[in-house]
Amino acid sequence: MSEFDIIVYGATGYTGRLVAEYLGSRNHGVRWAMSGRSQAKLEQVRDELGLPDQPIVVADADNPESLRALCEQTTVVLSTVGPYQLYGGPLVAACAAKGTGYVDLCGEPAWMRQMIDAYEADAKASGARIVFSCGFDSIPFDLGVWTVQNAARARFGRPAPRVKGRVTKMQGTFSGGTFASARATMAAAARDPQVLKLMIDPFALTPGFTGPSQPKGLMPEYDDTLGAWTAPFVMAAINTKNVHRTNALTGHAYGTDLRYDEMVAVPGLGDVGRMAAEAVAKLNPLGGDKGPALGDGPTRTEREAGHYEIKFLAEMPDGERVVATVTGDRDPGYGSTSKMIAEAAICLVKDVDGAGGIWTPGALMPEPLVKRLEANAGVTFRMEG
């Protein structure tokens, strides 16, 4: 038996600290520790959180031996140390070699594909269950599609070939970590055309399978079902790829003909709504040279004032449809994300076995994770009608 169930790697960072605070405030029945490269900073965060007896494990992404030692001490590593394309590869390699579970917040699809190609065989051989994208990228979307497709099968006897993800409400900001990941991805794409190719390929995370042509989601459009104008959604590039990977890993439980996209609904009727959608389409909140520094993020008040609502519309060829709604009670990127990844790690420890490999939440643990999120993390999944 490992000494710990979960080690939070990156506990001194903005999001890692939120995860540690969440784990330290709950009676969740897991043995956990805080990890990072600085003993002094870890002790400072531990004291500031009021967790004087919390174990500490020092490990550094630049020291492979320390990462191997980290993996030997725990059942699951929860990593918040990004950008993952700069710091994450050695840890994934160590987990895959040692058979250690792993969850992260990665929204970097080109790096994820590199990890799949490099380490999925090792993870299958060792039994390591590696699960990327366990925050707002992409749990609400991955499990939202799972929820609505279950309803489609129950009502129509088969999955829907067309699913729309529509963000209808969202209040929240992003941190320096998210900005740094976006900057690193853009730099990598400028150096390597293959990275750009993966970024625009909806099936970049399903090696060996390419499905039908997908909606682009790049231009404003009017959605008759919502009765609203919609604009491109900045996180669609990663979420859609994870949904297709879930589908592939489950033997195409959603069908081989699935067409899926994500857009954000904007307020306003008629020309006002159209102009608002066009304005959103021109806005890239992660672009440009100015953004928050690493370690920065929204205040507690901002996190607690945040929220989101996403509707998933599953449409059948004859026009019949079912609709599911996912909501979160904190800002999506940090208040809600920190709870989601913590519950995903606990779920991996306590609720599921599963074979080794590189998974998505929706392929490895959808039902128990939905139950945990609804019970503990302020995330709801409900069917309409």
Side-chain angles (χ1 to χ4, degrees):
M1 175 182 288
S2 300
E3 183 177 358
F4 303 109
D5 296 313
I6 298 169
I7 294 180
V8 180
Y9 180 62
T12 61
Y14 181 88
T15 305
R17 181 183 174 122
L18 292 179
V19 173
E21 182 179 22
Y22 179 77
L23 289 174
S25 68
R26 302 191 61 79
N27 181 19
H28 40 61
V30 298
R31 300 162 298 139
W32 68 283
M34 301 166 60
S35 181
R37 62 185 178 181
S38 169
Q39 177 84 22
K41 289 182 179 180
L42 286 165
E43 290 175 354
Q44 179 183 348
V45 170
R46 180 179 65 178
D47 293 343
E48 289 173 352
L49 293 179
L51 304 170
D53 299 321
Q54 199 62 45
I56 285 174
V57 178
V58 175
D60 191 331
D62 293 330
N63 184 341
E65 184 57 39
S66 74
L67 297 180
R68 288 191 288 269
L70 175 77
C71 293
E72 289 172 351
Q73 296 179 68
T74 188
T75 301
V76 172
V77 176
L78 185 164
S79 176
T80 63
V81 179
Y84 294 95
Q85 60 198 280
L86 300 182
Y87 307 114
L91 180 56
V92 172
C95 288
K98 294 291 185 180
T100 304
Y102 169 96
V103 297
D104 73 14
L105 299 172
C106 188
E108 304 164 42
W111 177 81
M112 292 163 63
R113 175 58 184 270
Q114 292 168 4
M115 296 299 99
I116 292 167
D117 292 343
Y119 300 117
E120 184 160 42
D122 291 345
K124 288 180 176 179
S126 70
R129 298 163 300 160
I130 294 172
V131 192
F132 299 137
S133 304
C134 290
F136 190 65
D137 299 342
S138 297
I139 280 178
F141 303 90
D142 193 12
L143 298 185
V145 174
W146 177 81
T147 299
V148 82
Q149 287 286 34
N150 281 348
R153 278 191 293 265
R155 183 172 300 183
F156 307 120
R158 60 192 178 100
R162 176 74 172 103
V163 178
K164 300 176 181 178
R166 298 294 182 259
V167 180
T168 49
K169 298 177 184 177
M170 188 167 69
Q171 179 172 324
T173 58
F174 62 95
S175 81
T178 296
F179 184 75
S181 292
R183 289 291 304 277
T185 296
M186 289 185 285
R191 293 190 305 268
D192 184 356
Q194 184 64 23
V195 171
L196 180 60
K197 182 179 179 181
L198 290 171
M199 289 295 296
I200 63 177
D201 179 4
F203 298 98
L205 302 183
T206 61
F209 174 79
T210 300
S213 176
Q214 299 292 304
K216 303 301 182 186
L218 298 177
M219 298 295 293
E221 62 182 48
Y222 187 77
D223 191 307
D224 290 320
T225 306
L226 292 178
W229 279 90
T230 60
F233 179 49
V234 68
M235 312 315 299
I238 178 60
N239 295 331
T240 54
K241 293 173 177 59
N242 276 320
V243 166
H244 287 299
R245 181 162 176 80
T246 291
N247 192 27
L249 289 173
T250 55
H252 292 104
Y254 308 154
T256 58
D257 58 346
L258 175 66
R259 298 175 68 244
Y260 174 70
D261 72 332
E262 295 173 0
M263 303 280 281
V264 58
V266 298
L269 301 175
D271 288 342
V272 173
R274 176 181 56 79
M275 289 186 290
E278 290 172 350
V280 171
K282 295 176 182 177
L283 177 66
N284 179 4
L286 299 178
D289 295 326
K290 295 183 179 181
L294 277 171
D296 289 346
T299 65
R300 180 180 295 275
T301 298
E302 289 170 335
R303 294 195 306 269
E304 293 180 353
H307 57 270
Y308 56 89
E309 177 186 270
I310 313 154
K311 292 189 180 296
F312 295 89
L313 301 90
E315 300 178 345
M316 305 303 290
D318 63 2
E320 291 285 336
R321 67 170 59 94
V322 289
V323 180
T325 302
V326 178
T327 64
D329 70 347
R330 293 290 187 273
D331 81 295
Y334 302 92
S336 190
T337 279
S338 57
K339 296 190 290 184
M340 284 190 281
I341 191 173
E343 292 297 337
I346 296 170
C347 191
L348 198 57
V349 169
K350 302 186 75 169
D351 300 334
V352 295
D353 293 322
I358 297 182
W359 293 92
T360 61
L364 180 63
M365 50 186 176
E367 187 170 2
L369 185 53
V370 163
K371 291 179 179 178
R372 281 197 169 276
L373 295 174
E374 291 199 314
N376 304 316
V379 183
T380 67
F381 300 79
R382 72 176 188 272
M383 295 304 304
E384 296 187 6

